[in-house]
Amino acid sequence: MVVFLGALAVAGGLFFSPAARSHDEPFTFPSNSGVTGLMNVPTARVMREKLWRAGISYARPYWYYYGTVSPFEGFEVNGRFTKVEGLPALSPGYGDFKDKA
C-alpha cells in the first residue's frame, strides 16, 4: 500500500508539475510557406511576442520567400512571395508564374 501511494504521489507530481505541462514553443517553426505550421499545413500556434523570421524554402516546383512578425502575444503576420517553376505566366516574357500573399 505504501509503495502504491508513493508511486501515485510521484505520478501526480509529474503530471501537475509546470515542467510536465505542454508548451507550444517547440512547435512554432515555419511551414514550407513561412507561416507557423507543419510542412504545408498552418496550425493555430503562433510565435512568441516580439520575434520575427525571414526565409526561403523550396518544395519542388514552389519557391517561397517569406517574412513573419509577432508584435504581441497571440498575433502573427506573414507575407509571402511564391514562384512556381516550369509554369509559364499569362504574360509573355514574364517567366515563371508568381504569386503574392
Side-chain angles (χ1 to χ4, degrees), residues 88-95:
L90 296 175
S91 302
Y94 186 68

Side-chain angles (χ1 to χ4, degrees), residues 21-55:
R21 293 188 184 135
S22 66
H23 193 272
D24 285 346
E25 189 62 31
F27 303 104
T28 57
F29 296 112
S31 66
N32 289 340
S33 60
V35 297
T36 300
L38 306 170
M39 300 291 282
N40 292 317
V41 180
T43 64
R45 294 180 166 102
V46 296
M47 295 187 298
R48 282 186 305 159
E49 62 183 313
K50 300 179 184 172
L51 292 180
W52 64 275
R53 67 174 162 240

Side-chain angles (χ1 to χ4, degrees), residues 81-99:
F81 179 79
T82 305
K83 176 181 149 188
V84 187
E85 281 186 332
L87 181 63
L90 296 175
S91 302
Y94 186 68
D96 294 327
F97 180 78
K98 297 170 184 78
D99 183 40

